[in-house]
Amino acid sequence: MAPIAVDERPAPPKYHGKFEIHKLKSDQSFQSEPVQGTVYHGDGREEALLKHLQSLPQLQNKPGTQPVLDAIHEFGKGENRYLMSVGDTKGTGIEKLINEKKPKHLPKIHPNSVYPANWTGDANEDKAGYISLEKSEVYAATARGAIELAGLGDVVKIVTGSSTPSLKNLRKTLNLPRPIKFDMIFIDHLKPLYTNDLKVMEEEGLIAPVSRDDNVKVRIELIEMHLALKGTIIVADNVVKPGNPAYLSYVRAKPEQKRAMLARPPLKTQPPVTPNPSDPSEWETAFCDGPLEETLWTPVESDGVTGRGDPDLVYSSEMIGGWDPYTGERDACEVSVCLRKESS
């Protein structure tokens, strides 16, 4: 495990600072609590974003992804328009990772593959594409509109609904018979859902260990090691801001730790959340020995679907450091590679 990779580039301008939300107390009065703007969504800004993108003349002839991304970023600078965006500092590292991994959603690299509109149930079909899970039809419509403007309508398949049941039913929904697996996954939604959704994907056989034929070094050298790997790569955003100790514990845990955790009964209520390290140097060892007990709680947003996962899968993880694109606060993505499956 390596410490958080610090991005030496200057932080972006602070278009947004801390926000306040109002929480209902037990006595039915309200209290203000400063939180990050990442909780702000679903108030009409998604519809406003799509309307704005569709009004821009420079986006009318499918100019590609970058002009659309630039327009989304500019929109997010406005008052009450904070958007949950990976940003260009963390995004640069992820782009490098994608260019090395060459996942099967890049039509220029995989022009002869079969894309979502034409998928069948044939397990030997050379399927390619990008699957986007969207919580609501509003979010789906916004994503679909931006994707069409970028000229990627044939490449991306949008599935609408809560993430956990959507993942549980994904093979049936999209004609993805076993042993088809994902080669790259990007996780960026409600933080307590990260671990449960990953465990569901493990159960459904959507996570692939590195091929036995691959020559894999035990020590990972940040992103460069991914070039030769064929195992599923999982990129999880916002693991520093606001943080996700339970998820980091899970992908950093040894199989025996996860097996011991599964032997315990599930939790009926959310346990106290472990705080982030106060010193960036502590990220090197943070959460390697816990708090796995937090993963025994299933968030209500999982809609009753609880994943047990596959505790025998072994991951190796490192962080891509960067900044929040609007507040200038340090953040990072956790990059985990599924290395192998151990015998229990």
Side-chain angles (χ1 to χ4, degrees):
M1 183 64 58
I4 178 173
V6 176
D7 196 308
E8 299 298 339
R9 289 173 292 177
K14 291 186 178 182
Y15 304 109
H16 302 282
K18 300 284 185 179
F19 294 88
E20 284 190 351
I21 59 173
H22 299 284
K23 299 180 68 176
L24 185 65
K25 297 194 296 184
S26 58
D27 62 0
Q28 302 299 304
S29 62
F30 286 89
Q31 64 180 359
S32 293
E33 178 179 332
V35 298
Q36 302 299 339
T38 49
V39 301
Y40 275 54
H41 55 84
D43 59 355
R45 71 187 62 196
E46 290 81 16
E47 298 95 323
L49 170 61
L50 179 56
K51 185 176 180 180
H52 171 71
L53 294 177
Q54 292 174 335
S55 72
L56 297 177
Q58 66 268 31
L59 301 185
Q60 300 313 304
N61 295 315
K62 298 183 178 180
T65 56
Q66 195 57 53
V68 176
L69 291 174
D70 291 342
I72 292 172
H73 180 64
E74 288 300 314
F75 177 88
K77 295 177 183 178
E79 185 177 359
N80 295 323
R81 288 181 175 178
Y82 182 102
L83 298 173
M84 291 178 284
S85 169
V86 68
D88 58 355
T89 54
K90 290 178 292 177
T92 299
I94 295 172
E95 286 179 4
K96 181 178 180 182
L97 182 59
I98 290 173
N99 289 333
E100 293 176 341
K101 176 66 174 176
K102 296 180 175 60
K104 296 295 288 292
H105 67 254
L106 300 177
K108 290 183 179 180
I109 298 176
H110 306 283
N112 299 319
S113 298
V114 180
Y115 284 86
N118 299 311
W119 281 352
T120 70
D122 184 356
N124 296 316
E125 185 175 68
D126 184 20
K127 290 181 173 64
Y130 186 99
I131 301 168
S132 178
L133 304 184
E134 300 294 341
K135 171 69 174 178
S136 71
E137 186 51 48
V138 170
Y139 297 162
T142 303
R144 193 176 294 114
I147 289 163
E148 290 290 343
L149 288 171
L152 297 174
D154 294 336
V155 177
V156 181
K157 175 66 176 180
I158 294 177
V159 176
T160 306
S162 299
S163 62
T164 317
S166 291
L167 290 168
K168 188 70 176 178
N169 298 317
L170 202 58
R171 288 195 180 276
K172 181 179 180 180
T173 302
L174 297 180
N175 275 326
L176 297 175
R178 296 175 185 266
I180 293 174
K181 298 178 174 66
F182 292 148
D183 54 4
M184 191 168 187
I185 300 167
F186 182 72
I187 305 178
D188 184 15
H189 60 331
L190 187 68
K191 309 314 163 191
L193 288 178
Y194 277 32
T195 310
N196 197 41
D197 284 359
L198 176 59
K199 289 194 287 186
V200 168
M201 286 188 280
E202 291 178 343
E203 283 184 335
E204 294 302 310
L206 295 168
I207 307 294
V210 173
S211 168
R212 292 181 179 179
D213 296 330
D214 288 330
N215 182 18
V216 181
K217 295 181 179 179
V218 175
R219 185 172 184 274
I220 293 180
E221 300 288 349
L222 197 57
I223 302 175
E224 283 72 13
M225 92 310 167
H226 295 294
L227 182 59
L229 297 186
K230 298 178 183 177
T232 300
I233 294 178
I234 306 160
V235 181
D237 197 14
N238 307 129
V239 295
V240 170
K241 171 191 169 284
N244 202 325
Y247 176 83
L248 293 180
S249 296
Y250 188 83
V251 294
R252 297 179 181 191
K254 298 176 182 178
E256 55 265 31
Q257 293 175 297
K258 292 185 284 186
R259 293 184 200 116
M261 178 267 298
L262 284 174
R264 299 169 55 185
L267 298 177
K268 296 182 179 180
T269 58
Q270 183 179 13
V273 177
T274 302
N276 289 331
S278 57
D279 186 339
S281 65
E282 296 176 7
W283 284 98
E284 183 172 358
T285 56
F287 314 127
C288 291
D289 297 320
L292 277 176
E293 63 272 11
E294 291 182 29
T295 69
L296 293 171
W297 169 69
T298 301
V300 65
E301 290 85 359
S302 292
D303 288 353
V305 179
T306 299
R308 285 183 55 84
D310 185 343
D312 296 333
L313 292 179
V314 179
Y315 297 96
S316 187
S317 298
E318 291 203 3
M319 283 185 171
I320 297 178
W323 308 89
D324 183 293
Y326 298 116
T327 67
E329 296 168 286
R330 287 203 180 277
D331 195 10
C333 294
E334 181 87 341
V335 179
S336 304
V337 180
C338 186
L339 294 180
R340 62 186 180 276
K341 182 179 174 70
E342 291 190 355
S343 300
S344 57

